[in-house]
Amino acid sequence: MATVSPLARFLLRLLLNIYRWCALWYFRARSYLSSKPKASDALQSEAERRIENGQAWDEFCDTLKAAGATVFAPGAPRDPFNQAEGYRYLSRLTRAGLENFVECADVEAPKLCAIANGSRAARVCIGSDNPDNLYENSTVDSSLEYTVVGTRGTVPYLSFGTQAGSYGSKGGLQTVDLIEARNLEYEEDGSFIIILSAERPSHAKNWLRLEPNPREALFIVRQTFGDRSKETPAKLSIRCTTSSALSGSFGKPSPLTAEKLDRGLQQASVFVAGASAMFAKWSHEFKSNHANTLPLFDPIRSTKAGGDPNIRYYHSYWDLKAKGTVLRIRFTPPPCLSWNFQLNNHWMESLDYRYHTIHTNSTLAQKDNNDKNAAYTIIVSEKDPNWHGVFRGNWIETTGHDCGTMCFRWVGPKVKDSDLPQPRVEVLAFEDL
């Protein structure tokens, strides 16, 4: 497709801005001369005003423009390749924000969508999204009651949680409650029902608590695969069961209002700016404090950012700018449900696992040869380290990158944090493997 010249883009912007300002002045003048009374609802009236005069859209665009500061955050790579990935990252967050806060934000007719999904055609990646996970979430209102119905599937790990707040908002996204599939009470046909509410109903076999304040909340599902090609995910549906909220619509989406759109655009833009700024800060911290090592990430901080409290995370930064170097990671897993390791770019997006081996886990990985302690070796490198058929470790591809973030996870460890084994990391020359 032919590119548009800078002059043509300038003229297009100029003409559209002239038309926009003329239209706004016309509508403002007509509104001033009109005797039509204002809406009685102050909040709705304000939202209508913001939509009519374009202020809601202007603020949405201005916030997105300001979010571009993330690409220039301290520690961010300045080369064109990583900068391009940074701007693509912001575009992906924008798409995720609009999907979650505008398209799928009706709390009376909730839908399961995804803030992160790196396996679909149009990827959305954020916060070291796990390649082994299928993430699903639904925006809910903590003053209402919801029913989740599902079947288990065969994924090794399945958890359901409720969170208060939202990504990037003041107070963050904090875990309120969580339940694993192994702790659910099932129906005779193998299905299960989970109630989401602020107070537990007497009939609820399975219940997740919603925090009353703030009312803004999220229902989140994590399905962790061992081998996606051999396992089936759980099938789920969610509906609002508070009769007073349905207004006779029986869970059908309610008509769009100025208030809903205004709120959705604000939440979407704040999500883009807030989430990108938070993870840029994390990436800079990892790079500055412990590059090419894997220390345990603070579990409290992880939970406050929406992490699974049953997982222990080892977030860090990898740097292989020195030509011909590789990262070798060795470890012996503790008793746990599973483990995994993944490679990300600087912006904490998982690298493209649809086409490259950028992660491994306890199901896929090969153990070290002749090791009685069930130890594993992972090698992060540009080239395959297992040349001539000699196994030297589980290869993780860098896919054209020479730096970024990385994450190691123990899922459901059976030992105390103080007894968790520390992955051993070293940088060495490819020829020395």
Side-chain angles (χ1 to χ4, degrees):
M1 181 179 293
T3 58
V4 181
S5 69
L7 177 60
R9 293 198 302 271
F10 170 77
L11 292 175
L12 179 61
R13 289 197 304 269
L14 179 63
L15 291 173
L16 288 174
N17 278 325
I18 291 173
Y19 174 80
R20 177 176 176 274
W21 280 108
C22 290
L24 284 174
W25 277 110
Y26 168 75
F27 285 116
R28 286 172 181 170
R30 190 179 70 171
S31 176
Y32 177 78
L33 297 173
S34 174
S35 59
K36 182 181 177 180
K38 298 290 184 180
S40 58
D41 187 325
L43 182 60
Q44 183 71 11
S45 173
E46 174 65 12
E48 287 180 340
R49 182 188 67 80
R50 286 169 52 81
I51 294 297
E52 285 182 350
N53 65 19
Q55 184 179 353
W57 183 256
D58 284 350
E59 290 183 3
F60 170 74
C61 295
D62 288 343
T63 305
L64 292 184
K65 186 175 182 179
T70 296
V71 180
F72 300 99
R78 297 289 190 260
D79 61 280
F81 172 70
N82 281 290
Q83 291 276 296
E85 286 203 330
Y87 285 117
R88 182 184 62 183
Y89 167 55
L90 293 177
S91 75
R92 287 171 167 175
L93 293 185
T94 302
R95 177 157 38 87
L98 291 173
E99 287 179 355
N100 281 268
F101 299 111
V102 177
E103 296 294 340
C104 300
D106 193 330
V107 296
E108 297 174 13
K111 303 179 185 70
L112 285 167
C113 55
I115 281 186
N117 188 339
S119 61
R120 71 180 191 177
R123 305 184 82 217
V124 177
C125 307
I126 178 175
S128 195
D129 51 294
N130 188 344
D132 288 327
N133 272 11
L134 171 60
Y135 298 96
E136 292 179 292
N137 55 266
S138 180
T139 300
V140 296
D141 184 330
S142 63
S143 69
L144 305 178
E145 181 180 297
Y146 300 86
T147 298
V148 176
V149 179
T151 55
R152 173 65 178 84
T154 62
V155 289
Y157 181 74
L158 171 62
S159 70
F160 308 90
T162 51
Q163 300 173 335
S166 65
Y167 268 121
S169 65
K170 185 177 181 180
L173 183 66
Q174 301 196 29
T175 299
V176 175
D177 203 357
L178 183 136
I179 187 170
E180 295 182 24
R182 59 179 175 168
N183 297 323
L184 291 175
E185 188 172 335
Y186 291 84
E187 304 297 317
E188 291 184 2
D189 61 359
S191 64
F192 57 84
I193 300 172
I194 306 174
I195 304 298
L196 282 57
S197 60
E199 296 184 4
R200 180 165 192 161
S202 58
H203 65 279
K205 295 180 179 179
N206 305 297
W207 176 65
L208 284 172
R209 183 172 65 88
L210 294 173
E211 184 65 37
N213 187 26
R215 287 177 57 177
E216 182 183 20
L218 198 69
F219 169 64
I220 186 166
V221 183
R222 287 183 177 89
Q223 304 196 53
T224 304
F225 293 83
D227 186 341
R228 283 180 181 264
S229 66
K230 298 178 180 178
E231 297 156 0
T232 57
K235 294 183 178 180
L236 308 165
S237 64
I238 181 172
R239 62 187 178 93
C240 177
T241 50
T242 302
S243 57
S244 60
L246 300 179
S247 304
S249 64
F250 299 102
K252 296 179 181 179
S254 55
L256 180 66
T257 64
E259 180 185 2
K260 288 182 179 180
L261 181 60
D262 187 24
R263 182 174 62 247
L265 291 175
Q266 290 183 50
Q267 291 175 326
S269 60
V270 168
F271 164 73
V272 176
S276 62
M278 179 177 72
F279 291 123
K281 181 174 183 292
W282 284 22
S283 184
H284 178 50
E285 288 179 6
F286 303 156
K287 183 178 182 179
S288 301
N289 299 333
H290 46 74
N292 292 334
T293 63
L294 282 167
L296 177 63
F297 190 64
D298 181 3
I300 297 176
R301 188 179 182 188
S302 171
T303 301
K304 286 184 176 180
D308 189 328
N310 291 333
I311 297 176
R312 290 297 174 262
Y313 300 86
Y314 293 73
H315 286 292
S316 196
Y317 203 88
W318 63 279
D319 188 337
L320 296 177
K321 292 189 180 69
K323 189 174 181 179
T325 55
V326 305
L327 205 66
R328 183 164 65 187
I329 305 167
R330 289 172 166 168
F331 59 93
T332 301
C336 60
L337 294 178
S338 63
W339 60 264
N340 88 335
F341 173 81
Q342 71 180 80
L343 213 60
N344 312 312
N345 63 14
H346 175 84
W347 314 106
M348 296 191 71
E349 295 181 293
S350 63
L351 299 184
D352 199 340
Y353 52 84
R354 298 172 303 175
Y355 305 108
H356 302 279
T357 303
I358 62 88
H359 89 293
T360 191
N361 61 40
S362 49
T363 299
L364 301 175
Q366 179 179 333
K367 296 175 182 170
D368 291 348
N369 294 329
N370 304 318
D371 190 282
K372 297 180 180 179
N373 296 319
Y376 292 84
T377 297
I378 292 173
I379 297 177
V380 178
S381 64
E382 180 184 3
K383 298 182 294 184
D384 187 352
N386 302 314
W387 70 87
H388 301 313
V390 178
F391 179 73
R392 296 175 176 85
N394 296 276
W395 181 31
I396 301 299
E397 302 177 50
T398 56
T399 71
H401 298 74
D402 58 15
C403 66
T405 60
M406 56 183 172
C407 182
F408 198 105
R409 298 174 180 86
W410 304 126
V411 180
K414 309 298 184 183
V415 298
K416 298 183 297 184
D417 289 355
S418 58
D419 295 330
L420 288 172
Q422 178 69 40
R424 305 180 301 280
V425 185
E426 58 183 333
V427 178
L428 63 161
F430 185 85
E431 292 75 13
D432 295 337
L433 287 172

mmCIF file with all atom_site columns, all heavy atoms in Angstrom, residues 89-104:
data_model
loop_
_atom_site.group_PDB
_atom_site.id
_atom_site.type_symbol
_atom_site.label_atom_id
_atom_site.label_alt_id
_atom_site.label_comp_id
_atom_site.label_asym_id
_atom_site.label_entity_id
_atom_site.label_seq_id
_atom_site.pdbx_PDB_ins_code
_atom_site.Cartn_x
_atom_site.Cartn_y
_atom_site.Cartn_z
_atom_site.occupancy
_atom_site.B_iso_or_equiv
_atom_site.pdbx_formal_charge
_atom_site.auth_seq_id
_atom_site.auth_comp_id
_atom_site.auth_asym_id
_atom_site.auth_atom_id
_atom_site.pdbx_PDB_model_num
ATOM 1   N N   . TYR A 1 89  ? 2.990   -1.508 21.216 1.00 0.00 ? 89  TYR A N   1
ATOM 2   C CA  . TYR A 1 89  ? 2.474   -1.889 22.535 1.00 0.00 ? 89  TYR A CA  1
ATOM 3   C C   . TYR A 1 89  ? 1.365   -0.933 22.978 1.00 0.00 ? 89  TYR A C   1
ATOM 4   O O   . TYR A 1 89  ? 0.294   -1.368 23.435 1.00 0.00 ? 89  TYR A O   1
ATOM 5   C CB  . TYR A 1 89  ? 3.652   -1.875 23.506 1.00 0.00 ? 89  TYR A CB  1
ATOM 6   C CG  . TYR A 1 89  ? 3.351   -1.932 24.970 1.00 0.00 ? 89  TYR A CG  1
ATOM 7   C CD1 . TYR A 1 89  ? 2.582   -2.946 25.528 1.00 0.00 ? 89  TYR A CD1 1
ATOM 8   C CD2 . TYR A 1 89  ? 3.889   -0.982 25.838 1.00 0.00 ? 89  TYR A CD2 1
ATOM 9   C CE1 . TYR A 1 89  ? 2.349   -3.016 26.895 1.00 0.00 ? 89  TYR A CE1 1
ATOM 10  C CE2 . TYR A 1 89  ? 3.664   -1.041 27.205 1.00 0.00 ? 89  TYR A CE2 1
ATOM 11  C CZ  . TYR A 1 89  ? 2.893   -2.050 27.730 1.00 0.00 ? 89  TYR A CZ  1
ATOM 12  O OH  . TYR A 1 89  ? 2.668   -2.103 29.087 1.00 0.00 ? 89  TYR A OH  1
ATOM 13  N N   . LEU A 1 90  ? 1.578   0.369  22.806 1.00 0.00 ? 90  LEU A N   1
ATOM 14  C CA  . LEU A 1 90  ? 0.549   1.338  23.180 1.00 0.00 ? 90  LEU A CA  1
ATOM 15  C C   . LEU A 1 90  ? -0.695  1.171  22.314 1.00 0.00 ? 90  LEU A C   1
ATOM 16  O O   . LEU A 1 90  ? -1.825  1.311  22.807 1.00 0.00 ? 90  LEU A O   1
ATOM 17  C CB  . LEU A 1 90  ? 1.096   2.762  23.047 1.00 0.00 ? 90  LEU A CB  1
ATOM 18  C CG  . LEU A 1 90  ? 2.216   3.150  24.020 1.00 0.00 ? 90  LEU A CG  1
ATOM 19  C CD1 . LEU A 1 90  ? 2.714   4.564  23.727 1.00 0.00 ? 90  LEU A CD1 1
ATOM 20  C CD2 . LEU A 1 90  ? 1.747   3.051  25.469 1.00 0.00 ? 90  LEU A CD2 1
ATOM 21  N N   . SER A 1 91  ? -0.513  0.859  21.039 1.00 0.00 ? 91  SER A N   1
ATOM 22  C CA  . SER A 1 91  ? -1.676  0.644  20.174 1.00 0.00 ? 91  SER A CA  1
ATOM 23  C C   . SER A 1 91  ? -2.449  -0.598 20.600 1.00 0.00 ? 91  SER A C   1
ATOM 24  O O   . SER A 1 91  ? -3.685  -0.634 20.538 1.00 0.00 ? 91  SER A O   1
ATOM 25  C CB  . SER A 1 91  ? -1.238  0.538  18.713 1.00 0.00 ? 91  SER A CB  1
ATOM 26  O OG  . SER A 1 91  ? -0.616  -0.710 18.438 1.00 0.00 ? 91  SER A OG  1
ATOM 27  N N   . ARG A 1 92  ? -1.727  -1.624 21.038 1.00 0.00 ? 92  ARG A N   1
ATOM 28  C CA  . ARG A 1 92  ? -2.397  -2.838 21.513 1.00 0.00 ? 92  ARG A CA  1
ATOM 29  C C   . ARG A 1 92  ? -3.166  -2.554 22.799 1.00 0.00 ? 92  ARG A C   1
ATOM 30  O O   . ARG A 1 92  ? -4.294  -3.047 22.977 1.00 0.00 ? 92  ARG A O   1
ATOM 31  C CB  . ARG A 1 92  ? -1.364  -3.940 21.751 1.00 0.00 ? 92  ARG A CB  1
ATOM 32  C CG  . ARG A 1 92  ? -0.795  -4.547 20.488 1.00 0.00 ? 92  ARG A CG  1
ATOM 33  C CD  . ARG A 1 92  ? 0.374   -5.479 20.786 1.00 0.00 ? 92  ARG A CD  1
ATOM 34  N NE  . ARG A 1 92  ? 0.743   -6.292 19.638 1.00 0.00 ? 92  ARG A NE  1
ATOM 35  C CZ  . ARG A 1 92  ? 1.784   -7.111 19.606 1.00 0.00 ? 92  ARG A CZ  1
ATOM 36  N NH1 . ARG A 1 92  ? 2.570   -7.236 20.681 1.00 0.00 ? 92  ARG A NH1 1
ATOM 37  N NH2 . ARG A 1 92  ? 2.048   -7.818 18.537 1.00 0.00 ? 92  ARG A NH2 1
ATOM 38  N N   . LEU A 1 93  ? -2.567  -1.786 23.698 1.00 0.00 ? 93  LEU A N   1
ATOM 39  C CA  . LEU A 1 93  ? -3.265  -1.442 24.936 1.00 0.00 ? 93  LEU A CA  1
ATOM 40  C C   . LEU A 1 93  ? -4.513  -0.615 24.638 1.00 0.00 ? 93  LEU A C   1
ATOM 41  O O   . LEU A 1 93  ? -5.541  -0.764 25.313 1.00 0.00 ? 93  LEU A O   1
ATOM 42  C CB  . LEU A 1 93  ? -2.337  -0.670 25.874 1.00 0.00 ? 93  LEU A CB  1
ATOM 43  C CG  . LEU A 1 93  ? -1.146  -1.424 26.465 1.00 0.00 ? 93  LEU A CG  1
ATOM 44  C CD1 . LEU A 1 93  ? -0.403  -0.536 27.465 1.00 0.00 ? 93  LEU A CD1 1
ATOM 45  C CD2 . LEU A 1 93  ? -1.572  -2.720 27.137 1.00 0.00 ? 93  LEU A CD2 1
ATOM 46  N N   . THR A 1 94  ? -4.420  0.254  23.642 1.00 0.00 ? 94  THR A N   1
ATOM 47  C CA  . THR A 1 94  ? -5.592  1.053  23.261 1.00 0.00 ? 94  THR A CA  1
ATOM 48  C C   . THR A 1 94  ? -6.727  0.147  22.797 1.00 0.00 ? 94  THR A C   1
ATOM 49  O O   . THR A 1 94  ? -7.896  0.322  23.184 1.00 0.00 ? 94  THR A O   1
ATOM 50  C CB  . THR A 1 94  ? -5.217  2.040  22.144 1.00 0.00 ? 94  THR A CB  1
ATOM 51  O OG1 . THR A 1 94  ? -4.153  2.884  22.597 1.00 0.00 ? 94  THR A OG1 1
ATOM 52  C CG2 . THR A 1 94  ? -6.414  2.898  21.755 1.00 0.00 ? 94  THR A CG2 1
ATOM 53  N N   . ARG A 1 95  ? -6.376  -0.830 21.968 1.00 0.00 ? 95  ARG A N   1
ATOM 54  C CA  . ARG A 1 95  ? -7.391  -1.782 21.499 1.00 0.00 ? 95  ARG A CA  1
ATOM 55  C C   . ARG A 1 95  ? -7.988  -2.558 22.662 1.00 0.00 ? 95  ARG A C   1
ATOM 56  O O   . ARG A 1 95  ? -9.211  -2.741 22.755 1.00 0.00 ? 95  ARG A O   1
ATOM 57  C CB  . ARG A 1 95  ? -6.759  -2.731 20.471 1.00 0.00 ? 95  ARG A CB  1
ATOM 58  C CG  . ARG A 1 95  ? -7.650  -3.811 19.943 1.00 0.00 ? 95  ARG A CG  1
ATOM 59  C CD  . ARG A 1 95  ? -7.178  -4.316 18.594 1.00 0.00 ? 95  ARG A CD  1
ATOM 60  N NE  . ARG A 1 95  ? -5.733  -4.392 18.473 1.00 0.00 ? 95  ARG A NE  1
ATOM 61  C CZ  . ARG A 1 95  ? -5.005  -5.444 18.853 1.00 0.00 ? 95  ARG A CZ  1
ATOM 62  N NH1 . ARG A 1 95  ? -5.590  -6.480 19.396 1.00 0.00 ? 95  ARG A NH1 1
ATOM 63  N NH2 . ARG A 1 95  ? -3.692  -5.442 18.672 1.00 0.00 ? 95  ARG A NH2 1
ATOM 64  N N   . ALA A 1 96  ? -7.133  -3.020 23.579 1.00 0.00 ? 96  ALA A N   1
ATOM 65  C CA  . ALA A 1 96  ? -7.625  -3.764 24.741 1.00 0.00 ? 96  ALA A CA  1
ATOM 66  C C   . ALA A 1 96  ? -8.495  -2.888 25.629 1.00 0.00 ? 96  ALA A C   1
ATOM 67  O O   . ALA A 1 96  ? -9.521  -3.336 26.157 1.00 0.00 ? 96  ALA A O   1
ATOM 68  C CB  . ALA A 1 96  ? -6.447  -4.313 25.541 1.00 0.00 ? 96  ALA A CB  1
ATOM 69  N N   . GLY A 1 97  ? -8.089  -1.622 25.795 1.00 0.00 ? 97  GLY A N   1
ATOM 70  C CA  . GLY A 1 97  ? -8.883  -0.714 26.617 1.00 0.00 ? 97  GLY A CA  1
ATOM 71  C C   . GLY A 1 97  ? -10.263 -0.479 26.046 1.00 0.00 ? 97  GLY A C   1
ATOM 72  O O   . GLY A 1 97  ? -11.272 -0.503 26.765 1.00 0.00 ? 97  GLY A O   1
ATOM 73  N N   . LEU A 1 98  ? -10.352 -0.260 24.739 1.00 0.00 ? 98  LEU A N   1
ATOM 74  C CA  . LEU A 1 98  ? -11.657 -0.036 24.113 1.00 0.00 ? 98  LEU A CA  1
ATOM 75  C C   . LEU A 1 98  ? -12.516 -1.293 24.167 1.00 0.00 ? 98  LEU A C   1
ATOM 76  O O   . LEU A 1 98  ? -13.731 -1.218 24.394 1.00 0.00 ? 98  LEU A O   1
ATOM 77  C CB  . LEU A 1 98  ? -11.459 0.415  22.667 1.00 0.00 ? 98  LEU A CB  1
ATOM 78  C CG  . LEU A 1 98  ? -10.845 1.810  22.493 1.00 0.00 ? 98  LEU A CG  1
ATOM 79  C CD1 . LEU A 1 98  ? -10.534 2.080  21.030 1.00 0.00 ? 98  LEU A CD1 1
ATOM 80  C CD2 . LEU A 1 98  ? -11.777 2.882  23.042 1.00 0.00 ? 98  LEU A CD2 1
ATOM 81  N N   . GLU A 1 99  ? -11.910 -2.460 23.955 1.00 0.00 ? 99  GLU A N   1
ATOM 82  C CA  . GLU A 1 99  ? -12.670 -3.706 24.015 1.00 0.00 ? 99  GLU A CA  1
ATOM 83  C C   . GLU A 1 99  ? -13.245 -3.938 25.408 1.00 0.00 ? 99  GLU A C   1
ATOM 84  O O   . GLU A 1 99  ? -14.404 -4.344 25.565 1.00 0.00 ? 99  GLU A O   1
ATOM 85  C CB  . GLU A 1 99  ? -11.786 -4.882 23.607 1.00 0.00 ? 99  GLU A CB  1
ATOM 86  C CG  . GLU A 1 99  ? -11.474 -4.940 22.126 1.00 0.00 ? 99  GLU A CG  1
ATOM 87  C CD  . GLU A 1 99  ? -10.573 -6.111 21.775 1.00 0.00 ? 99  GLU A CD  1
ATOM 88  O OE1 . GLU A 1 99  ? -10.114 -6.808 22.706 1.00 0.00 ? 99  GLU A OE1 1
ATOM 89  O OE2 . GLU A 1 99  ? -10.321 -6.323 20.581 1.00 0.00 ? 99  GLU A OE2 1
ATOM 90  N N   . ASN A 1 100 ? -12.423 -3.695 26.423 1.00 0.00 ? 100 ASN A N   1
ATOM 91  C CA  . ASN A 1 100 ? -12.832 -4.022 27.787 1.00 0.00 ? 100 ASN A CA  1
ATOM 92  C C   . ASN A 1 100 ? -13.705 -2.958 28.443 1.00 0.00 ? 100 ASN A C   1
ATOM 93  O O   . ASN A 1 100 ? -14.590 -3.294 29.225 1.00 0.00 ? 100 ASN A O   1
ATOM 94  C CB  . ASN A 1 100 ? -11.599 -4.266 28.649 1.00 0.00 ? 100 ASN A CB  1
ATOM 95  C CG  . ASN A 1 100 ? -10.993 -5.632 28.450 1.00 0.00 ? 100 ASN A CG  1
ATOM 96  O OD1 . ASN A 1 100 ? -11.316 -6.576 29.150 1.00 0.00 ? 100 ASN A OD1 1
ATOM 97  N ND2 . ASN A 1 100 ? -10.113 -5.761 27.453 1.00 0.00 ? 100 ASN A ND2 1
ATOM 98  N N   . PHE A 1 101 ? -13.464 -1.676 28.128 1.00 0.00 ? 101 PHE A N   1
ATOM 99  C CA  . PHE A 1 101 ? -14.158 -0.612 28.846 1.00 0.00 ? 101 PHE A CA  1
ATOM 100 C C   . PHE A 1 101 ? -15.255 0.067  28.035 1.00 0.00 ? 101 PHE A C   1
ATOM 101 O O   . PHE A 1 101 ? -16.053 0.820  28.596 1.00 0.00 ? 101 PHE A O   1
ATOM 102 C CB  . PHE A 1 101 ? -13.153 0.433  29.335 1.00 0.00 ? 101 PHE A CB  1
ATOM 103 C CG  . PHE A 1 101 ? -12.128 -0.136 30.277 1.00 0.00 ? 101 PHE A CG  1
ATOM 104 C CD1 . PHE A 1 101 ? -10.803 -0.247 29.899 1.00 0.00 ? 101 PHE A CD1 1
ATOM 105 C CD2 . PHE A 1 101 ? -12.494 -0.578 31.538 1.00 0.00 ? 101 PHE A CD2 1
ATOM 106 C CE1 . PHE A 1 101 ? -9.856  -0.785 30.765 1.00 0.00 ? 101 PHE A CE1 1
ATOM 107 C CE2 . PHE A 1 101 ? -11.561 -1.119 32.402 1.00 0.00 ? 101 PHE A CE2 1
ATOM 108 C CZ  . PHE A 1 101 ? -10.234 -1.228 32.015 1.00 0.00 ? 101 PHE A CZ  1
ATOM 109 N N   . VAL A 1 102 ? -15.307 -0.195 26.742 1.00 0.00 ? 102 VAL A N   1
ATOM 110 C CA  . VAL A 1 102 ? -16.378 0.362  25.912 1.00 0.00 ? 102 VAL A CA  1
ATOM 111 C C   . VAL A 1 102 ? -17.261 -0.756 25.356 1.00 0.00 ? 102 VAL A C   1
ATOM 112 O O   . VAL A 1 102 ? -18.472 -0.765 25.558 1.00 0.00 ? 102 VAL A O   1
ATOM 113 C CB  . VAL A 1 102 ? -15.810 1.225  24.763 1.00 0.00 ? 102 VAL A CB  1
ATOM 114 C CG1 . VAL A 1 102 ? -16.945 1.725  23.870 1.00 0.00 ? 102 VAL A CG1 1
ATOM 115 C CG2 . VAL A 1 102 ? -15.035 2.418  25.323 1.00 0.00 ? 102 VAL A CG2 1
ATOM 116 N N   . GLU A 1 103 ? -16.651 -1.726 24.674 1.00 0.00 ? 103 GLU A N   1
ATOM 117 C CA  . GLU A 1 103 ? -17.438 -2.767 24.025 1.00 0.00 ? 103 GLU A CA  1
ATOM 118 C C   . GLU A 1 103 ? -17.994 -3.808 24.991 1.00 0.00 ? 103 GLU A C   1
ATOM 119 O O   . GLU A 1 103 ? -19.114 -4.301 24.798 1.00 0.00 ? 103 GLU A O   1
ATOM 120 C CB  . GLU A 1 103 ? -16.582 -3.472 22.963 1.00 0.00 ? 103 GLU A CB  1
ATOM 121 C CG  . GLU A 1 103 ? -16.141 -2.577 21.823 1.00 0.00 ? 103 GLU A CG  1
ATOM 122 C CD  . GLU A 1 103 ? -17.296 -2.088 20.972 1.00 0.00 ? 103 GLU A CD  1
ATOM 123 O OE1 . GLU A 1 103 ? -18.372 -2.714 21.016 1.00 0.00 ? 103 GLU A OE1 1
ATOM 124 O OE2 . GLU A 1 103 ? -17.122 -1.082 20.267 1.00 0.00 ? 103 GLU A OE2 1
ATOM 125 N N   . CYS A 1 104 ? -17.224 -4.157 26.017 1.00 0.00 ? 104 CYS A N   1
ATOM 126 C CA  . CYS A 1 104 ? -17.632 -5.253 26.924 1.00 0.00 ? 104 CYS A CA  1
ATOM 127 C C   . CYS A 1 104 ? -17.781 -4.762 28.361 1.00 0.00 ? 104 CYS A C   1
ATOM 128 O O   . CYS A 1 104 ? -17.432 -5.468 29.305 1.00 0.00 ? 104 CYS A O   1
ATOM 129 C CB  . CYS A 1 104 ? -16.611 -6.384 26.873 1.00 0.00 ? 104 CYS A CB  1
ATOM 130 S SG  . CYS A 1 104 ? -16.401 -7.112 25.244 1.00 0.00 ? 104 CYS A SG  1
#
